[in-house]
Amino acid sequence: MNKLFQYRIILLFAIILLPISLLADELLKQKLSALPQVTEVREVKDEAGFESRYILKFTQPLDHSDPSKGSFSQRVIVMNHGQDRPTLLVTEGYGAGYAAGPKYNNELSQYFKTNIVFVEHRYFQESTPSPCDWQYLKERDAMADLHEITTALKNIYPKKWISTGISKGGETCMEYRSYYPDDIDISVPYVGPVCNALIDGRHEPFLRKVGTAADRKTIENFQIAVLKKKQEFMPRFKAYCDKKNLKFRAPLQDIYDYCVLEYSFSVWQWGKKTTSIPEPTAPDDILFKELVNVVGPEYFSTTGDISFFTQAYRELGYYGYDLKPFKPYLSIKSAKNYVRDIMLPPELRNTKFDKTTSRHITRYLKENDPRMICIYGEIDPWTAAGVTWLKDLNKQNIKVYIKPGGSHSTRISNMPASQRDEILSLLSQWLEEPIYKRFL
């Protein structure tokens, strides 16, 4: 067969297949548009290897127990490989803005060539009701949101479904499975905490033991050094905040203290090398730059993530600070109520913490054995509130993997080869699918 004839055959197949591909995309768009809850389907550019990518507007009740109270539009991003492929539900937990771009993909989709249904959490970014009535930001309704979306899209994607999420999204993944266990075949939550109280209480002891004594001393020495220099640094700190037009719900010197207290959590959360931390004798410019680069005061400002902290204050919980090593240098006397007083406006402070979420997740995981792989990092402070205790229950299906030296950035692809291969092999068996992408 000569080359000219080969080229003609290839061109002929391309001409035949192109309309078929376009027709499949158009049929999928029609199916998505026909869903009764969907008010908009917008096809967007894809640069991640999917056949097509769409942004949906999905109508949800504000209160699933009483739809008469109104509705809002939830952003859902659908990335399509084919209706004959498994589907990955990403329970983001936050906003979906970064996934709306053309390059977003997920490692589980890369490994197993899944479709992706990426759900923006209620009250985040484009999924914020208007008017914004905060009484409807409730966990039970957020889980019902996911159930409605999954139920609708299973009519289009009938193969196996995996749910996954990172951090708060990881907790959302576990919570969703606990409320709607039959919606999903497999769950893969990453670095997901399950806090038992507004100030959980397990993170501070974790930070007193994590890493080596030398590492912890290096961090503490830096914190004490910048606290001792607080009065010298306050003009710089004020100028930094003024330049960024930051406003706060507490005196500026208290915000400085909170930045210093947060420093150790941030170092361990993101796996910052303690060898990169300046010595206490370093020049002031270097010390100050280190502080604001690792813990920017933006975190404590009035422009912080009110949606997230409302959830933390009401139902999800958070972590506290150990003041004892720093008391001689602090302006604040207690950090007990900092989530309420620093992170939230006054109108959102009038509720008590509800333990229903953590209790429901914990009870479900203790009493059941769904196909679930929980992934954590050894030095990540959020691991203190993780479900690592499941390792001691010898479940047949629930598996917990802790990456040695791993931070909050722990993923399957960056785990040791033995852990990575074991996880992928198990997922492959459960999905009855080959592994498409391998990281060597």
Side-chain angles (χ1 to χ4, degrees):
M1 183 182 295
N2 62 47
K3 288 186 177 181
L4 180 60
F5 186 70
Q6 287 178 339
Y7 290 146
R8 286 175 176 172
I9 293 293
I10 293 170
L11 181 60
L12 178 61
F13 272 104
I15 293 171
I16 293 171
L17 292 175
L18 182 59
I20 294 175
S21 175
L22 292 174
L23 179 60
D25 288 348
E26 184 58 35
L27 287 173
L28 174 59
K29 188 174 183 180
Q30 289 177 11
K31 288 182 178 181
L32 293 171
S33 300
L35 294 173
Q37 305 97 322
V38 172
T39 59
E40 179 184 331
V41 177
R42 179 163 54 92
E43 186 168 5
V44 293
K45 184 179 180 182
D46 177 81
E47 297 177 4
F50 291 93
E51 295 296 322
S52 50
R53 183 182 295 244
Y54 303 91
I55 297 179
L56 315 184
K57 295 293 184 179
F58 197 98
T59 301
Q60 298 277 19
L62 287 169
D63 183 342
H64 283 268
S65 66
D66 185 359
S68 68
K69 292 181 178 178
S71 63
F72 74 101
S73 182
Q74 189 165 24
R75 178 164 57 170
V76 180
I77 304 167
V78 175
M79 294 157 240
N80 176 64
H81 270 313
Q83 293 171 247
D84 61 338
R85 302 302 307 148
T87 297
L88 181 69
L89 175 71
V90 180
T91 57
E92 163 53 33
Y94 292 93
Y98 71 98
K103 295 182 179 180
Y104 173 81
N105 205 338
N106 181 287
E107 68 172 8
L108 289 170
S109 182
Q110 292 176 297
Y111 280 127
F112 296 103
K113 197 178 180 182
T114 71
N115 306 299
I116 295 179
V117 175
F118 191 107
V119 181
E120 183 166 78
H121 207 86
R122 62 166 51 203
Y123 283 77
F124 287 84
Q125 293 181 2
E126 292 187 11
S127 299
T128 302
S130 181
C132 182
D133 188 339
W134 292 100
Q135 68 173 307
Y136 300 114
L137 179 52
K138 295 179 180 178
E139 288 305 301
R140 196 65 180 87
D141 284 307
M143 298 308 105
D145 292 343
L146 294 170
H147 175 65
E148 291 296 319
I149 291 166
T150 302
T151 301
L153 289 174
K154 274 189 173 181
N155 294 319
I156 297 173
Y157 295 115
K159 299 298 183 179
K160 289 185 177 180
W161 280 62
I162 317 168
S163 63
T164 191
I166 297 169
S167 193
K168 177 173 174 283
E171 179 175 11
T172 305
C173 177
M174 291 185 280
E175 185 182 358
Y176 176 46
R177 191 68 182 270
S178 75
Y179 278 108
Y180 298 97
D182 297 329
D183 279 10
I184 296 295
D185 299 291
I186 302 164
S187 300
V188 187
Y190 294 78
V191 297
V194 180
C195 294
N196 297 323
L198 175 55
I199 301 299
D200 181 270
R202 289 174 287 177
H203 304 87
E204 299 91 317
F206 180 94
L207 290 172
R208 290 194 289 267
K209 296 178 181 178
V210 67
T212 67
D215 287 332
R216 297 192 299 273
K217 191 62 177 174
T218 296
I219 295 168
E220 185 177 303
N221 286 344
F222 172 81
Q223 290 174 287
I224 290 174
V226 291
L227 282 172
K228 285 181 176 180
K229 288 181 172 287
K230 180 165 65 171
Q231 295 311 313
E232 296 175 53
F233 282 176
M234 282 307 296
R236 294 176 187 239
F237 193 67
K238 184 178 185 304
Y240 179 95
C241 294
D242 288 346
K243 184 177 181 180
K244 293 179 175 288
N245 197 30
L246 300 178
K247 307 296 180 185
F248 304 96
R249 301 182 185 93
L252 198 59
Q253 62 180 2
D254 291 2
I255 299 301
Y256 185 96
D257 285 355
Y258 280 114
C259 288
V260 178
L261 292 171
E262 176 69 19
Y263 181 83
S264 58
F265 195 102
S266 293
V267 167
W268 291 113
Q269 179 178 2
W270 300 115
K272 179 181 171 67
K273 301 296 184 183
T274 57
T275 53
S276 70
I277 297 174
E279 294 287 339
T281 54
D284 287 357
D285 287 350
I286 292 176
L287 291 173
F288 183 80
K289 184 177 180 180
E290 171 72 9
L291 177 62
V292 296
N293 281 353
V294 174
V295 187
E298 296 91 337
Y299 175 65
F300 297 101
S301 73
T302 57
T303 57
D305 197 337
I306 293 177
S307 298
F308 167 72
F309 285 111
T310 298
Q311 289 186 282
Y313 181 61
R314 291 175 174 177
E315 297 180 88
L316 297 184
Y318 213 48
Y319 57 87
Y321 298 117
D322 183 3
L323 274 60
K324 189 175 180 180
F326 314 110
K327 271 192 172 293
Y329 317 105
L330 296 171
S331 301
I332 60 174
K333 303 303 179 186
S334 171
K336 181 180 179 181
N337 297 314
Y338 84 98
V339 175
R340 181 193 70 190
D341 298 340
I342 303 292
M343 303 304 198
L344 293 176
E347 63 269 21
L348 296 180
R349 301 174 187 173
N350 59 351
T351 58
K352 291 185 178 181
F353 184 78
D354 183 348
K355 295 183 178 182
T356 300
T357 295
S358 63
R359 287 175 173 172
H360 195 277
I361 296 171
T362 301
R363 185 184 307 113
Y364 172 77
L365 294 178
K366 280 183 177 179
E367 297 176 357
N368 297 275
D369 190 19
R371 289 179 169 179
M372 179 180 288
I373 294 175
C374 304
I375 295 168
Y376 291 98
E378 181 188 22
I379 66 171
D380 178 13
W382 288 112
T383 300
V387 296
T388 56
W389 47 266
L390 284 165
K391 289 175 70 73
D392 300 327
L393 300 185
N394 296 316
K395 300 276 190 176
Q396 181 178 349
N397 292 317
I398 300 178
K399 304 296 180 183
V400 178
Y401 293 88
I402 302 174
K403 177 185 176 181
S407 70
H408 208 56
S409 300
T410 295
R411 305 291 182 265
I412 295 172
S413 58
N414 61 35
M415 297 184 85
S418 59
Q419 288 183 320
R420 181 192 67 217
D421 292 347
E422 186 175 328
I423 292 169
L424 293 177
S425 176
L426 187 56
L427 288 172
S428 183
Q429 292 174 37
W430 287 347
L431 285 168
E432 299 176 343
E433 290 282 348
I435 302 166
Y436 283 79
K437 180 173 183 178
R438 293 185 179 275
F439 289 81
L440 302 178

